[in-house]
Amino acid sequence: MRPSIAALAVGALLALAGCATDEPAAPVPSATSEAAGSGTGEQSKFFVQADYDNELALLNATSTGPADKPWEQALNPKMADTAKFKKPGPYKICFSNAGLNNPWRQVGFKTMQAEVDTHRNRIAEFVHVDAEGKDQKQIADINDLLGRGCHALIVSPNTTATLTPAVEAACRKGLPVIVFDRGVDTTCPVTFINPIGGYGFGHVSAEFVGQKMKPGGKVLALRILPGVDVLETRWSAAKVAFDKAGVNVVGVEFTDGDPAKTKKIVNDYIQRYGTIDGVWMDAGAVAVAAVEAFLDAGKPVPPINGEDQLDFLKLWKDKKLTAIAPTYPTYQWRTPVIAALRILDGESVSNPWKLPQPVITQDNLDQYLDPDMPPLHYAMCGCTDLPGYPQRWK
C-alpha cells in the first residue's frame, strides 16, 4: 500500500541518503582487518561535533509547513532575505546535476522534471546538464551555464571540496544559487536544501544494528565511495555509535555501488570469519546484493540497514529480515524548483532548508510496499500527485 503524503510527514523521525560518485575527492583506503578486527579507525576529517549534535537534535524536531507536502516543510527554519533576486518571469531555471548514475538519482530527477511541469506558466525553460559523476565535467558545466542567461542555478555537487570554487564563482555572478542533496564548503548559496543529513542517517542505522546484534559481535561496514559529505558524515556518525556500543567492526569496505562487488566482499568476509553479526551500509542501493550473499552462502542474514528502494523493502518483508531503512527521500528533488521560484519572487526561504526524513521500520514497512512500482523505485518519491504518475516512474 502506498503511504499517504501526510503519513510521510508524520513519520519524520529521520535519517539520511545520498548517492555515489565516480570520482572521489581523495582516495581513502578500506579498513580491511585481520582476524581480531580493525575497528572503526580514525574519525573522518568531515566530522564536525556541532553539526553532529545539531542533526541528532533534529531527529526529534517538529517541522513547519503543509502537513501533506513534506518537500515544502522545514525543520527549525532560519529565513534568508531574497528581495535582491526578485524579477518578473517567466524564468529560465538551470540545473547542474552531479549525475544520473544510480536509481536514486534517476527517480529523483524524474520527480524534479514533473515538478517543473507543474510550473510551466512560470518556467519558460528548464536546462539540465548531467556531469556523469565527473568533477571536472561539472565544473565546466557550471562555467558554461553562467553564460546562458539563467535566472537561477540549482546545483547538486558531485563532490564537496572540488565543486566549492565553481559554486562560489556562480555566486559572484549575482545569480541566486540553490544547492541541494550534497553540500559545498561555502555559505554563498541562497539556500542549501537536504533532509536532516548524514549524521542522522548514520546514527539511526548504526544504533539499530548495534542494538540488534550480540554484544561484541562482528560488523561489516559497506560504503560506496569517499569524498562526498553526505556519505562521509553517515560513516562518521556510525563510527560514534559503534564505538559506544563496543562492537567489533571487522571491515570497512568500498563497494563502488556495484552489486557484484558487494556480493564478493560479503562472501569474502563470510569465508574469513564464518559469521557476520551485523551489516551497516552508508547507502542502500546494494542492500539486496548484500542480503543475497548471505542467502547464497546458506547463512542467516544479520541485522542490516538499507533504504526505501522497493526491492529491499520487498526482500525485507519476504525473508522476515531484521532491518531498518533510514531514508534520504527523493521528494527533496521537488524542493529546489519550489525554492528557485520563491527566491525569484523575492520571498524569503530557509537556509539551510532541512526537510523531514522518515524512517521505515518493521512497524510501518507495509505502508511503503508498492507491488505496482518497479523494484528500483523509491518509496519516498513524494510523486504520487505529480503529472505522469505512475507511468513516468516506470
Side-chain angles (χ1 to χ4, degrees):
M1 179 178 68
R2 166 66 54 185
S4 68
I5 298 302
L8 290 176
V10 171
L13 259 174
L14 287 242
L16 143 71
C19 334
T21 62
D22 290 330
E23 292 186 359
V28 177
S30 64
T32 305
S33 64
E34 300 300 329
S38 62
T40 55
E42 296 296 321
Q43 184 56 279
S44 169
K45 66 180 182 180
F46 282 78
F47 182 77
V48 177
Q49 184 69 49
D51 293 343
Y52 169 86
D53 293 339
N54 181 58
E55 287 192 17
L56 266 57
L58 286 175
L59 291 172
N60 297 311
T62 301
S63 59
T64 63
D68 60 344
K69 297 179 179 180
W71 50 88
E72 292 188 27
Q73 295 176 12
L75 297 164
N76 296 347
K78 299 176 179 63
M79 306 310 288
D81 182 15
T82 69
K84 68 179 181 179
F85 297 112
K86 183 176 181 178
K87 55 175 55 70
Y91 306 110
K92 181 176 185 178
I93 308 294
C94 299
F95 174 36
S96 171
N97 190 0
L100 293 169
N101 46 12
N102 60 54
W104 186 88
R105 303 195 71 82
Q106 292 159 14
V107 170
F109 184 56
K110 289 176 184 177
T111 300
M112 177 181 275
Q113 290 174 300
E115 178 66 36
V116 168
D117 286 346
T118 69
H119 303 283
R120 280 302 181 185
N121 61 323
R122 304 194 62 206
I123 300 176
E125 187 176 359
F126 178 68
V127 179
H128 167 250
V129 186
D130 178 6
E132 302 172 357
K134 299 178 176 66
D135 284 344
Q136 294 307 313
K137 184 176 187 307
Q138 189 168 29
I139 291 168
D141 289 345
I142 292 173
N143 185 60
D144 177 65
L145 289 173
L146 295 182
R148 294 177 63 177
C150 304
H151 293 108
L153 175 63
I154 298 168
V155 180
S156 178
N158 187 54
T159 59
T160 301
T162 309
L163 266 297
T164 295
V167 169
E168 290 176 328
C171 293
R172 287 195 294 271
K173 292 289 186 178
L175 192 67
V177 178
I178 299 105
V179 172
F180 87 103
D181 168 30
R182 308 162 177 175
V184 285
D185 294 327
T186 177
T187 59
C188 79
V190 179
T191 184
F192 171 38
I193 300 164
N194 73 340
I196 284 178
Y199 296 118
F201 184 105
H203 170 79
V204 169
S205 51
E207 187 174 60
F208 175 87
V209 171
Q211 289 176 349
K212 292 296 183 180
M213 56 184 280
K214 67 182 183 181
K218 296 183 286 293
V219 173
L220 173 59
L222 298 175
R223 303 190 55 197
I224 296 181
L225 288 171
V228 176
D229 61 348
V230 70
L231 301 176
E232 292 288 351
T233 53
R234 287 178 186 183
W235 171 238
S236 295
K239 170 183 163 53
V240 173
F242 286 141
D243 287 347
K244 182 177 180 180
V247 301
N248 182 16
V249 178
V250 294
V252 183
E253 299 286 351
F254 290 108
T255 68
D256 301 325
D258 181 345
K261 184 173 181 179
T262 300
K263 275 191 173 183
K264 183 178 186 306
I265 289 169
V266 174
N267 186 63
D268 287 347
Y269 274 81
I270 291 172
Q271 295 297 319
R272 187 181 309 174
Y273 293 101
T275 300
I276 298 295
D277 303 298
V279 174
W280 179 87
M281 313 186 76
D282 70 359
V286 292
V288 167
V291 170
E292 288 175 345
F294 285 96
L295 297 176
D296 292 348
K299 297 287 186 178
V301 181
I304 188 172
N305 74 280
E307 287 186 64
D308 55 314
Q309 194 166 289
L310 291 182
D311 60 350
F312 175 70
L313 301 185
K314 183 178 186 300
L315 189 60
W316 175 356
K317 173 83 170 179
D318 292 347
K319 298 299 181 181
K320 298 179 172 58
L321 303 179
T322 299
I324 195 169
T327 66
Y328 199 54
T330 44
Y331 62 60
Q332 70 182 281
W333 288 71
R334 299 184 67 164
T335 315
V337 177
I338 295 167
L341 291 174
R342 290 184 184 178
I343 292 165
L344 292 170
D345 282 341
E347 295 181 19
S348 60
V349 296
S350 183
N351 181 32
W353 189 332
K354 286 291 187 180
L355 300 168
Q357 188 176 344
V359 175
I360 300 176
T361 67
Q362 187 63 49
D363 291 339
N364 63 13
L365 173 61
D366 287 345
Q367 298 179 38
Y368 297 99
L369 292 167
D370 189 344
D372 296 329
M373 296 302 286
L376 300 185
H377 185 66
Y378 280 77
M380 299 288 176
C381 71
C383 57
T384 57
D385 66 331
L386 286 171
Y389 182 86
Q391 289 77 17
R392 191 171 202 156
W393 287 262
K394 289 187 174 182

